[in-house]
Amino acid sequence: MKTIQDTNLKGKKVLVRVDFNVPFDKQGNIADDTRIREALPTINKLVSDGASVILMAHLGRPKKGGFEAEFSLKPVAEYLSKLINQEVVFTQSLLGSEVENLCKNLREGQVMLLENIRFYPEETKGDKDFAQKLALLGDAYVNDAFGAAHREHSSTATIAQFFPNDKYFGLLMAREVENLNKLMKEHSKPFTAVIGGSKISSKIGVLESLLNIVDNLVIGGGMRYTFYKALGYNVGDSLCEDDKIDVAKSLMSKAKEKGVNLYLPEDSIIADDFSEDANTKYVPEMNIPDGWQGMDIGEKSINKYCEVVLNSKTILWNGPMGVFEMKKFAVGTNAIAKAVAQATEKGAFSAIGGGDSVDAIKESGYADKVSYISTGGGAMLEFLEGKVLPGIKAIEQ
Ligand code: ADP
Ligand code: MG
């Protein structure tokens, strides 16, 4: 793997694709700066080597094909400047003589951030001419945007071809690829995947792929009710994808064929409304009465799942066990978080990924007790599906 770790890019203008797609609160402040902080090791390494750093990033999904104030990266430039204790040069345009001159005049160790690259519709099309123009701004290219690695966009993939000998993985990207490879190819057994979340439809590829490598597949979240229905149980008002019942059946028979232990929760915490103030009840079985919906896994499932996790040497967790955003339905999710942390303490390798799962492990207080938290939701899932991510391929080929 060609990473910036083993290279000194002193004196070079280095184009770095980062993932600064951060959430903002209603007052316009950055609500969670994790993604900016995750890019710091790469930025700091390049700065201390004496490279000039030209950052490229996107924010949200601008639609108009030009500047839109709500998607501007200017607040991110100001924020980053505080984090790295130096001015971050910010440019509103990405192409043209103004930005070219700014890049040319950047001193060693200086950092610049280009405005939201998605203000140019060419970006998401992976346009080659656009990528070539961007490439003119730098002497080397670094991809550190794992969160966007599954996109074949101009700045995440296409641009790499213009730096055949000067393209590198950033430190974050390298760490993600190393950890995910470890998980998929060099894991110790027993290997347990805990998969939850809302919909089975968004996880089919991952579930299929995991059946080839795991010993235990533990199912939770809303997606379990599609399995319940496939088994002939009543699901009441629970989240259920009727058009995916066949998928659930096929996953269960594949698990049997491959000798994978597939666990479904035996009990549920149910509610008469999808809200924090709803009436709740415990059901010790898989039938959910009409007028009620499953919101969390119950105690029997928690005990079983924790036991499976604690006996594992490798653990992958994606998808909360229940509607964890509402405190009273976060019990199952928090119990699994604790078990994953305990298993890790006993020597297991544990990996967690997915936007909501990462929020959940942070809220549980166990985030620093697991082996690895992925910064890419969609990118991680596609990697686990066995797909070759365009952002990774572009650097490796
Ligand atoms: P991730 O982002 O980690 O990949 P998902 O997006 O697949 O996870 O799923 C997270 C969502 O699943 C959360 O918003 C959570 O409230 C929801 N969820 C979990 N269990 C249930 C349930 N029983 N019914 C409805 N939604 C659920
Ligand atoms: Mg999600």
Side-chain angles (χ1 to χ4, degrees):
M1 206 188 323
K2 212 170 156 191
T3 80
I4 58 162
Q5 189 63 58
D6 323 308
T7 327
N8 189 318
L9 293 167
K10 184 177 168 57
K12 301 241 183 195
K13 313 271 188 250
V14 185
L15 277 162
V16 187
R17 179 55 157 100
V18 288
D19 180 6
F20 281 171
N21 193 20
V22 289
F24 285 83
D25 64 18
K26 289 194 184 91
Q27 287 78 43
N29 300 312
I30 293 168
D32 181 349
D33 66 356
T34 309
R35 285 182 166 155
I36 304 176
R37 287 184 185 275
E38 296 273 7
L40 292 179
T42 288
I43 296 170
N44 289 334
K45 157 86 165 89
L46 291 169
V47 166
S48 70
D49 281 357
S52 307
V53 181
I54 305 161
L55 301 168
M56 306 182 284
H58 80 277
L59 183 68
R61 297 185 173 200
K63 288 268 148 59
K64 290 189 188 149
F67 179 81
E68 288 174 65
E70 65 169 310
F71 296 115
S72 174
L73 279 169
K74 191 151 195 270
V76 175
E78 285 158 11
Y79 194 90
L80 175 64
S81 134
K82 284 186 204 127
L83 286 183
I84 61 173
N85 257 320
Q86 73 171 74
E87 190 207 349
V88 173
V89 182
F90 182 71
T91 63
Q92 264 169 11
S93 60
L94 274 64
L95 304 177
S97 55
E98 191 197 325
V99 62
E100 281 166 23
N101 285 330
L102 276 169
C103 288
K104 231 175 262 161
N105 294 326
L106 277 183
R107 293 184 307 274
E108 290 184 3
Q110 258 197 310
V111 177
M112 176 165 141
L113 173 62
L114 304 177
E115 181 55 291
N116 191 344
I117 198 153
R118 290 199 188 165
F119 287 163
Y120 293 76
E122 295 93 329
E123 161 68 359
T124 50
K125 295 185 188 124
D127 187 273
K128 199 170 161 184
D129 290 338
F130 178 60
Q132 189 164 22
K133 284 180 194 149
L134 286 173
L136 289 173
L137 301 176
D139 315 309
Y141 170 69
V142 171
N143 191 347
D144 209 24
F146 181 70
H150 56 317
R151 310 275 184 219
E152 193 154 11
H153 294 170
S154 296
S155 70
T156 60
T158 323
I159 191 170
Q161 64 193 273
F162 302 107
F163 300 96
N165 303 310
D166 302 288
K167 52 183 183 178
Y168 307 89
F169 286 115
L171 301 176
L172 167 66
M173 186 84 152
R175 186 166 58 96
E176 293 274 5
V177 174
E178 254 164 46
N179 277 303
L180 289 172
N181 274 330
K182 185 167 170 185
L183 193 68
M184 296 298 276
K185 297 178 186 152
E186 301 151 28
H187 51 258
S188 315
K189 287 180 160 273
F191 183 175
T192 298
V194 182
I195 307 291
S198 50
K199 290 182 171 173
I200 187 171
S201 53
S202 63
K203 307 277 163 85
I204 298 169
V206 175
L207 291 166
E208 299 251 0
S209 155
L210 289 173
L211 282 176
N212 295 318
I213 54 171
V214 301
D215 303 292
N216 306 306
L217 181 57
V218 173
I219 303 284
M223 69 157 76
R224 71 178 181 273
Y225 298 103
T226 305
F227 286 94
Y228 283 14
K229 199 158 185 180
L231 290 168
Y233 294 105
N234 189 25
V235 298
D237 295 341
S238 306
L239 191 71
C240 181
E241 293 173 278
D242 285 334
D243 60 336
K244 294 291 175 289
I245 287 175
D246 286 345
V247 173
K249 282 185 181 161
S250 132
L251 286 166
M252 287 187 282
S253 66
K254 274 186 197 152
K256 205 173 253 167
E257 257 168 53
K258 293 177 190 286
V260 174
N261 304 311
L262 185 118
Y263 294 92
L264 285 171
E266 290 171 52
D267 52 358
S268 288
I269 302 294
I270 58 173
D272 61 357
D273 187 26
F274 191 81
S275 94
E276 189 102 52
D277 319 314
N279 295 306
T280 61
K281 245 188 344 198
Y282 170 74
V283 277
E285 51 150 333
M286 286 170 152
N287 275 309
I288 310 294
D290 289 334
W292 293 77
Q293 53 190 296
M295 301 292 274
D296 197 5
I297 59 174
E299 204 182 319
K300 270 199 281 181
S301 314
I302 291 177
N303 290 338
K304 181 81 223 166
Y305 285 10
C306 289
E307 183 193 318
V308 174
V309 165
L310 283 166
N311 286 319
S312 304
K313 284 270 171 285
T314 305
I315 303 148
L316 163 70
W317 181 17
N318 166 258
M321 294 294 98
V323 186
F324 75 102
E325 296 93 335
M326 302 180 200
K327 237 193 162 81
K328 62 180 178 188
F329 306 118
V331 178
T333 301
N334 288 335
I336 296 295
K338 185 175 175 186
V340 174
Q342 286 172 333
T344 312
E345 203 182 356
K346 284 200 322 181
F349 176 74
S350 57
I352 294 166
D356 295 293
S357 311
V358 173
D359 287 348
I361 190 90
K362 282 184 185 164
E363 271 161 47
S364 75
Y366 292 104
D368 57 351
K369 303 243 172 346
V370 299
S371 311
Y372 153 68
I373 295 181
S374 177
T375 57
M380 185 199 74
L381 290 179
E382 289 197 19
F383 192 105
L384 298 177
E385 281 175 35
K387 288 188 186 157
V388 179
L389 306 189
I392 294 176
K393 188 174 157 204
I395 302 286
E396 280 181 341
Q397 72 190 1

